[in-house]
Amino acid sequence: MAGVRERVQELDAWPAPFLAVTGRKTRRVWAPLYLRGLLGPGDRKSLSPMVARLGLPGHDQLQHFIASPAWDDAPLWTQLAHEADRLVGGPDAYLVIDDTALPKKGVLSVWVARQYCGALGKQANCQSLVSSTLAQGEVPVPLGLRLFLPEAWTNEPGRCLQGGVPEDAMMPWTKGKIALAEIDRIQAAGVRFGTVLADAGCGTSAAFRHGLDARGLRWAVGIAKNQKIYDADVRIVARVGRACKPTPDREPCDAETLLAGLKWRHVAWRHGTRGKLTARFAMCRVRVGDGPTWGNNRHLPGAEVWLVGEWRSSGERKYYLSNLPADTTRRDLAGATKAR
């Protein structure tokens, strides 16, 4: 029993920095109890079972703590950012942006819609979210989790109002825009990191990549295999005609096609619990077709970056772009793309 009491005391002590910024005394009293109910034994985490396990005489006060509309959660997110930076922040840390989903059977939860659900690998009824995590070595610390508002909700303002969605949150935001807003919030809180990582959910967006460039950040992101790519030495020429328009001197090709002709080499990026982590990689410098449109919805070459292909032992291939320096080693480049 002494061991149990010690663990309960540790659990109650852990949120102390967060409780200090919650404001009202009643919140500081009920927050540890609610946290204990969520993390304690028992599969059912709804209010009544938790109240019974906690030995409380009733659930009214805990219900009020959970349902109170007066919460301002910004100080809590800022405190979380400070704690994460203290634990793993620094120039060698990664800020990981991810696209995740929570399967839902009902339709009443805010922002639930039929959309791609990564947890199930198919279209399904779910909530889609953009998460941010600070990581260094093998230690990840969550920083934020923001819901994505699908068109099924933005097209029905009445549904948003009924679900309690704030008016300023009813505007349709892309996942890339949500991620950039989160990065701005995290940087404003003083979190230190060296490279931003993202899956293809955000990485395929040219606006997201350009947003990272505008903020002076280094990044390595997943992309689709059909991402249009130019050779690094592509030149822009003036096309003769009624209007002299800048035109690339060659056509772009898919990332998959360009890398297929390169030599794939085994690269070990770090040691895991079962030895070296290795895969086959192909890498080259390219210019991405994400510049201004020049004709037939085709884009001019953008900035020069790394194109990376990963060939896993399962036979699956993944593709990435990164603006890491041109002299980055193959091992460091592979390590960055795999740090997620």
Side-chain angles (χ1 to χ4, degrees):
M1 291 297 294
V4 173
R5 284 196 298 269
E6 289 175 0
R7 287 194 291 271
V8 170
Q9 289 173 355
E10 290 176 359
L11 179 60
D12 287 344
W14 178 84
F18 301 93
L19 297 177
V21 298
T22 58
R24 297 174 58 181
K25 180 180 178 180
T26 53
R27 294 177 190 156
R28 296 197 295 272
V29 171
W30 287 100
L33 289 172
Y34 183 54
L35 182 63
R36 196 185 302 172
L38 289 175
L39 299 182
D43 294 331
R44 298 180 61 198
K45 301 300 180 180
S46 54
L47 194 61
S48 294
M50 283 198 298
V51 166
R53 287 194 295 270
L54 291 170
L56 300 176
H59 67 270
D60 289 349
Q61 289 179 293
L62 189 59
Q63 170 69 34
H64 180 74
F65 165 75
I66 298 169
S68 172
W71 276 92
D72 176 13
D73 61 357
L76 292 171
W77 288 114
T78 300
Q79 185 61 41
L80 177 60
H82 293 165
E83 292 295 315
D85 183 76
R86 179 181 64 82
L87 291 170
V88 295
D92 294 330
Y94 293 98
L95 180 62
V96 183
I97 304 296
D98 233 329
D99 180 10
T100 187
L102 298 175
K104 293 280 186 177
K105 292 184 178 180
V107 296
L108 298 180
S109 296
V110 176
W111 297 342
V112 163
R114 187 168 180 81
Q115 53 197 320
Y116 180 75
C117 179
L120 302 177
K122 62 180 181 180
Q123 292 282 326
N125 213 48
C126 65
Q127 289 172 316
S128 184
L129 307 100
V130 176
S131 67
S132 54
T133 304
L134 189 68
Q136 186 167 175
E138 298 184 14
V139 181
V141 181
L143 285 173
L145 194 62
R146 293 290 182 263
L147 281 164
F148 165 72
L149 185 59
E151 288 185 1
W153 283 76
T154 58
N155 293 338
E156 298 184 29
R159 186 183 183 188
C160 291
L161 290 172
Q162 187 179 12
V165 178
E167 189 173 346
D168 59 356
M170 294 183 192
M171 298 298 292
W173 279 38
T174 65
K175 292 179 181 178
K177 187 176 180 180
I178 294 173
L180 290 174
E182 278 293 276
I183 290 171
D184 290 340
R185 178 185 68 82
I186 290 165
Q187 285 193 301
V191 176
R192 299 163 297 157
F193 56 88
T195 306
V196 176
L197 308 179
D199 62 4
C202 288
T204 53
S205 167
F208 175 67
R209 298 194 303 270
H210 293 166
L212 296 177
D213 287 333
R215 289 162 173 78
L217 297 172
R218 291 186 175 181
W219 48 266
V221 300
I223 56 168
K225 64 182 180 181
N226 60 351
Q227 171 70 56
K228 295 302 181 183
I229 299 293
Y230 290 91
D231 290 333
D233 59 354
V234 63
R235 294 188 306 135
I236 305 299
V237 298
R239 185 175 63 185
V240 178
R242 286 185 299 176
C244 292
K245 294 184 178 180
T247 306
D249 64 355
R250 70 199 72 176
E251 291 291 325
C253 66
D254 294 343
E256 179 184 35
T257 302
L258 181 60
L259 289 177
L262 300 183
K263 186 173 182 179
W264 295 69
R265 301 177 180 176
H266 280 282
V267 178
W269 60 90
R270 70 177 177 88
H271 280 81
T273 56
R274 298 182 180 180
K276 290 183 179 179
L277 300 178
T278 66
R280 294 170 67 186
F281 289 88
M283 309 171 181
C284 63
R285 298 290 287 176
V286 298
R287 293 179 67 181
V288 188
D290 60 3
T293 303
W294 65 276
N296 295 329
N297 204 30
R298 291 179 291 179
H299 292 264
L300 290 171
E304 183 177 316
V305 295
W306 282 103
L307 172 63
V308 180
E310 177 197 359
W311 192 343
R312 299 178 178 178
S313 58
S314 63
E316 182 184 18
R317 299 195 192 193
K318 294 287 187 179
Y319 300 90
Y320 312 89
L321 292 174
S322 175
N323 71 341
L324 290 176
D327 60 355
T328 303
T329 65
R330 295 177 67 88
R331 183 177 183 274
D332 288 344
L333 194 56
T337 62
K338 294 297 293 180
R340 280 184 55 245

